[in-house]
Amino acid sequence: MFSQEVIYNYEYEYRSDIMQRIQRCFHTGIKAHCKVFMVRLDVRFPLGFVHDGRNTVVSELLRRLKANYTYHGVDCRYVWVREQNQSSLPHYHLLLLLDGSRIENGWGVRAIAGVLWCGLLDADCDACIHLCQPLHGGSGIMIRRPSSRSEGEKLHVEKANCEAAYRAAVDWSSYLAKTHTKGEAPHGVREWGSSRF
């Protein structure tokens, strides 16, 4: 359905294993839903937080986010990466793919993540969850599959729009796969993961 060529705007080296998982996440989401809404969040720890070096807290955040959406009948797929540059604490980038027929606003996703993060850390750290906005603005990217009822010019336009949204979403999410700021995790601690799909 989609061309394999995706142009990455960022000037970084990429990890192919992470890029392949991101693309698989997109493909399974688009296959399952006529609309997929992509949201990117950055997750940080508050100053002074004592971190154990593991990914336990962010894993629990993702488990609770997924459970929240599952409870409300919304499919939620995700890919996360851990990064650490010069800070003593790691930070995380999350890619969330949600059923676009049910979720169309990333600010609501960010609000839920903020409440969950504050609860997990038992701190007022809502500002540690950042909603990344695409270059074109908005709170995420919606990918709409062409309608099975469309034909002719309308089908051609829907296919072109779907392909453009897909390319923009994969391009935007490629930031998660950059090699820069990875490689600092303690031995045996994963630097990325995803939901099962």
Side-chain angles (χ1 to χ4, degrees):
M1 175 180 198
F2 301 103
S3 68
Q4 294 300 311
E5 180 188 352
V6 176
I7 299 168
Y8 307 120
N9 285 332
Y10 305 98
E11 296 178 10
Y12 295 107
E13 289 182 24
Y14 296 93
R15 288 188 44 180
S16 61
D17 55 344
I18 299 173
M19 276 311 306
Q20 288 170 2
R21 183 56 62 97
I22 288 169
Q23 289 177 322
R24 182 158 182 231
C25 190
F26 275 107
H27 283 276
T28 60
I30 293 166
K31 186 175 179 181
H33 303 289
C34 62
K35 295 195 303 185
V36 173
F37 188 63
M38 176 201 159
V39 176
R40 256 187 56 197
L41 299 175
D42 290 344
V43 179
R44 298 186 181 276
F45 293 98
L47 291 174
F49 183 80
V50 179
H51 190 266
D52 66 1
R54 309 194 67 69
N55 300 319
T56 310
V57 182
V58 81
S59 294
E60 182 61 16
L61 170 66
L62 286 162
R63 188 194 70 73
R64 290 183 186 191
L65 263 175
K66 187 165 175 70
N68 173 74
Y69 286 112
T70 300
Y71 176 79
H72 293 289
V74 177
D75 182 38
C76 175
R77 299 157 197 257
Y78 60 83
V79 177
W80 62 269
V81 298
R82 172 192 172 122
E83 295 186 352
Q84 191 167 352
N85 196 4
Q86 296 175 353
S87 171
S88 62
L89 296 169
H91 64 274
Y92 297 86
H93 301 290
L94 311 181
L95 161 68
L96 302 169
L97 294 180
L98 302 146
D99 178 353
S101 296
R102 306 285 308 275
I103 304 291
E104 296 184 352
N105 186 322
W107 290 107
V109 176
R110 186 246 165 266
I112 292 168
V115 168
L116 293 173
W117 195 237
C118 289
L120 282 167
L121 301 187
D122 194 24
D124 183 14
C125 56
D126 184 67
C128 291
I129 301 285
H130 174 73
L131 175 70
C132 302
Q133 295 181 274
L135 296 175
H136 70 276
S139 61
I141 296 176
M142 182 70 77
I143 303 169
R144 290 179 174 85
R145 247 186 4 222
S147 171
S148 59
R149 297 185 187 122
S150 296
E151 52 188 43
E153 182 61 25
K154 183 176 181 183
L155 178 60
H156 177 72
V157 169
E158 288 178 2
K159 282 183 177 180
N161 289 341
C162 182
E163 179 78 23
Y166 169 78
R167 288 172 56 91
V170 173
D171 184 48
W172 188 41
S173 63
S174 68
Y175 183 80
L176 276 70
K178 72 184 189 319
T179 57
H180 180 68
T181 68
K182 291 185 180 67
E184 298 298 322
H187 179 72
V189 175
R190 295 184 333 166
E191 289 192 309
W192 71 277
S194 72
S195 54
R196 296 178 184 171
F197 37 80

